[in-house]
């Protein structure tokens, strides 16, 4: 079962990908792995910061490793945390459709949502998820007022 998508902008190829993921109880202490179980080393800290050290669940990307694909940034933190809350908070957190509500965002040390580049991800969303919304911070005013409507 897919718990969400992580929007990733690949600067080298100038494309946005939406990587499906699932939360996985068989993984230990907030690990993040590819579908085949291989660790995604670039995002280990972000997943631990997003889920917390005491959580006994990890994240499995529903993709295999690609040599020319680069993972960087912390914007996976919000979609992973939302998926975790959706699974664990019961009726106190909305049961949104993961194909209609996507998220991108990072948290600082004080647990505040911080700005991440979203303009390319928004363009990718328009092409790949025409009926969805992208939830995330916009402190840098990357989105025009017309696009907000």
């Amino acid at each position: 079962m897919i718990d969400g998508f992580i929007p990733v902008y690949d600067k080298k190829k100038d494309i946005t990908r939406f990587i499906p993921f699932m939360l996985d109880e068989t993984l230990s202490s907030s690990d993040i792995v590819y579908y085949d179980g291989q660790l995604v080393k670039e995002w280990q800290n972000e997943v631990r910061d997003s889920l917390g050290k005491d959580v006994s669940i990890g994240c499995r990307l529903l993709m295999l490793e690609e040599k020319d694909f680069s993972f960087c940034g912390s914007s996976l933190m919000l979609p992973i945390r939302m998926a975790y809350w959706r699974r664990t908070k019961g009726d106190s957190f909305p049961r949104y459709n993961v194909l209609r509500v996507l998220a991108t965002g990072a948290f600082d040390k004080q647990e505040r949502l911080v700005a991440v580049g979203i303009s390319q991800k928004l363009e990718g969303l328009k092409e790949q998820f025409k009926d969805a919304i992208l939830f995330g911070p916009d402190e840098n005013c990357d989105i025009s007022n017309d696009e907000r409507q």
Side-chain angles (χ1 to χ4, degrees):
M1 177 174 144
I2 294 175
D3 287 306
F5 293 86
I6 301 170
V8 178
Y9 176 66
D10 186 335
K11 292 178 185 178
K12 292 178 187 175
K13 297 179 182 176
D14 191 30
I15 59 168
T16 299
R17 295 174 135 184
F18 294 86
I19 302 171
F21 71 90
M22 59 184 275
L23 299 176
D24 189 335
E25 291 87 4
T26 66
L27 299 173
S28 62
S29 68
S30 305
D31 280 340
I32 184 168
V33 299
Y34 291 103
Y35 185 73
D36 62 3
Q38 185 177 339
L39 284 175
V40 181
K41 296 174 186 155
E42 298 88 345
W43 277 348
Q44 291 300 309
N45 292 333
E46 287 81 0
V47 172
R48 284 189 189 100
D49 290 346
S50 182
L51 293 175
K53 298 174 196 165
D54 300 328
V55 173
S56 59
I57 196 169
C59 178
R60 184 175 303 274
L61 301 180
L62 301 178
M63 67 175 286
L64 296 173
E65 181 179 16
E66 295 179 26
K67 298 295 181 201
D68 293 336
F69 187 65
S70 172
F71 293 103
C72 63
S74 300
S75 63
L76 75 154
M77 294 173 80
L78 181 58
I80 289 176
R81 188 172 292 184
M82 284 177 61
Y84 180 70
W85 286 342
R86 185 172 177 259
R87 182 179 286 198
T88 60
K89 297 283 186 188
D91 291 334
S92 66
F93 195 76
R95 296 278 174 216
Y96 59 89
N97 182 330
V98 298
L99 295 172
R100 299 274 192 248
V101 178
L102 285 81
T104 185
F107 296 97
D108 65 13
K109 297 292 184 200
Q110 288 78 36
E111 294 293 311
R112 294 177 298 206
L113 201 56
V114 296
V116 295
I118 65 170
S119 58
Q120 295 92 349
K121 295 173 186 177
L122 184 60
E123 289 303 314
L125 182 86
K126 290 177 187 177
E127 295 172 11
Q128 298 174 49
F129 290 88
K130 295 182 189 302
D131 295 331
I133 62 165
L134 183 64
F135 180 78
D138 185 31
E139 293 179 19
N140 294 332
C141 298
D142 287 342
I143 302 173
S144 71
N145 286 333
D146 291 340
E147 290 177 304
R148 292 175 196 266
Q149 307 288 325

